[in-house]
Amino acid sequence: MKKILLVVISLLMVLACGNNNSNTVSGNKGSQSTDNKQVYKIGVTQFMEHPSLNLAKKGFEDAFKEAGINADFDEKNANGEVTNANLIASNYKADKKDLVFGIATPSAQALVNNITDTPVLFSAVTDPASAKLLNPNVTGTSDKVENIAVQLDLLLKIKPDVKKVGVLYNPSEQNSAVQVQEIQKIAKEKNIEVVLQGISNFGELAQATKNLLGVTDALYLPTDNLVVSGANFVASEAIAAKKPVIASENSSVELGALFTMGLDYYALGKRTGEMAIEILKGKPVSQIPFETSKQMKLYVNQKTAQALGLDIKNPMFNGAEFVGK
């Protein structure tokens, strides 16, 4: 009888162990799926919808796919509202994500301000230091490129009589304020006057654009989330006024800006994804400093160039990637 009892107890223990192994185990190290492959819980928060930020998100997620890392991406969009960005960050904290990723400065700031015990990655942030993002649990990639001097030099080759350049920006965006200061400094060195036009919401964009086009020779668009979301309208108005628009990233060129000596946001996001994978595999965040892309390429909108009467075969466009064909 004792032997039978021992056999029954042993069988029950085996069955219990089998059931435990088949369940998903949640925690800060990811969940365990039925095929014994870890599935990481990743929060991805994007400040607003526009092509460059979309590319950064795609690059980030593709890095996981190419590395064969299983991840459950919880994607959220703040629709340009800081309040929404903070709510998203709070929800990610409550859900105990394994890692969170903020695309653009306001979303990254919301994550950093709410989460201290989980790795935070950022991308499409111009100046992480001035945005106060550099906590011990934070790293990522910056879209700051030293291209303003090159951009203005090319503008002067295209239009030598340029005296005034208008800059559209949102004063409440930290990354934009940093860029405006640099644009003013470098433009002064080249004897170009900068005319600033701040906007706080999309509804102000149309009038602000018309105001600037009326008093300047060209427009310069920084990597400002609000302004870039309206790049198509700005470019269209500028073409009608026969004035060039310099962009800070290639998606705005695809939407009609004349040119940019810019960077690839997909590659930027992908590099951030690679950093995230290193962290999930056990590398301390403190051993992965944030990076700034050094790869720049000239993008030119062919249709816009033709509309402005420019010859795309001019040597000044050598090596350019033409879009909007």
Side-chain angles (χ1 to χ4, degrees):
M1 186 68 182
K2 288 183 178 179
K3 288 183 178 180
I4 295 173
L5 186 58
L6 287 172
V7 170
V8 172
I9 292 172
S10 297
L11 286 171
L12 289 172
M13 290 178 67
V14 170
L15 288 172
C17 289
N19 288 336
N20 283 340
N21 287 337
S22 66
N23 289 336
T24 296
V25 179
S26 298
N28 290 334
K29 296 299 181 181
S31 59
Q32 195 77 14
S33 66
T34 54
D35 59 358
N36 284 329
K37 291 191 74 175
Q38 222 166 19
V39 180
Y40 294 100
K41 295 165 58 178
I42 311 292
V44 179
T45 173
Q46 182 172 320
F47 189 58
M48 63 168 42
E49 191 76 17
H50 77 63
S52 291
L53 303 187
N54 294 344
L55 285 170
K57 179 177 70 176
K58 186 175 188 332
F60 180 83
E61 296 181 356
D62 281 356
F64 281 78
K65 294 175 185 176
E66 292 180 14
I69 305 296
N70 288 341
D72 178 13
F73 295 110
D74 182 1
E75 300 178 0
K76 294 288 188 295
N77 194 306
N79 296 315
E81 297 290 338
V82 173
T83 303
N84 291 342
N86 281 310
L87 180 59
I88 292 167
S90 295
N91 289 339
Y92 285 166
K93 181 178 181 179
D95 195 35
K96 298 186 182 299
K97 301 296 186 186
D98 296 303
L99 183 144
V100 292
F101 175 43
I103 308 173
T105 301
S107 284
Q109 287 175 319
L111 292 176
V112 170
N113 291 338
N114 284 277
I115 299 172
T116 59
D117 56 354
T118 296
V120 175
L121 276 291
F122 61 78
S123 192
V125 171
T126 301
D127 191 340
S130 67
K132 299 180 180 179
L133 298 181
L134 303 181
N135 289 353
N137 65 315
V138 182
T139 190
T141 57
S142 168
D143 61 0
K144 183 178 182 179
V145 289
E146 305 296 334
N147 65 347
I148 296 173
V150 177
Q151 302 250 72
L152 293 178
D153 284 341
L154 182 54
L155 173 63
L156 288 170
K157 286 181 181 179
I158 293 170
K159 194 168 177 149
D161 58 345
V162 166
K163 300 297 181 185
K164 294 182 179 181
V165 171
V167 177
L168 274 167
Y169 77 111
N170 180 359
S172 66
E173 285 196 30
Q174 179 64 37
N175 60 312
S176 302
V178 170
Q179 291 175 82
V180 164
Q181 291 176 359
E182 293 187 7
I183 293 168
Q184 288 177 308
K185 177 185 174 183
I186 295 172
K188 185 176 181 180
E189 295 170 358
K190 299 181 183 297
N191 296 316
I192 296 174
E193 180 184 345
V194 172
V195 180
L196 301 179
Q197 180 69 63
I199 59 173
S200 58
N201 59 69
F202 194 81
E204 297 175 354
L205 183 65
Q207 190 60 52
T209 300
K210 291 177 182 178
N211 290 346
L212 277 183
L213 288 171
V215 297
T216 62
D217 306 305
L219 299 186
Y220 196 117
L221 307 183
T223 54
D224 181 294
N225 295 297
L226 176 57
V227 173
V228 172
S229 68
N232 190 28
F233 172 81
V234 175
S236 177
E237 291 292 303
I239 291 170
K242 296 296 181 182
K243 294 180 180 181
V245 174
I246 309 168
S248 295
E249 36 72 51
N250 61 336
S251 68
S252 291
V253 177
E254 292 175 358
L255 293 172
L258 177 58
F259 75 87
T260 187
M261 183 65 77
L263 52 82
D264 184 339
Y265 276 80
Y266 176 84
L268 200 69
K270 192 171 185 180
R271 175 58 193 140
T272 315
E274 293 167 352
M275 297 164 81
I277 291 169
E278 289 183 65
I279 292 166
L280 291 172
K281 287 183 174 180
K283 191 169 183 177
V285 179
S286 59
Q287 292 183 17
I288 306 178
F290 84 87
E291 298 179 9
T292 300
S293 176
K294 300 297 182 184
Q295 299 178 350
M296 291 191 294
K297 185 173 184 177
L298 177 60
Y299 296 88
V300 178
N301 188 298
Q302 183 170 314
K303 285 185 178 179
T304 300
Q306 292 169 342
L308 296 177
L310 301 174
D311 181 7
I312 62 172
K313 295 181 180 179
N314 191 301
M316 75 176 75
F317 294 135
N318 283 348
E321 179 175 326
F322 290 96
V323 299
K325 298 177 182 178

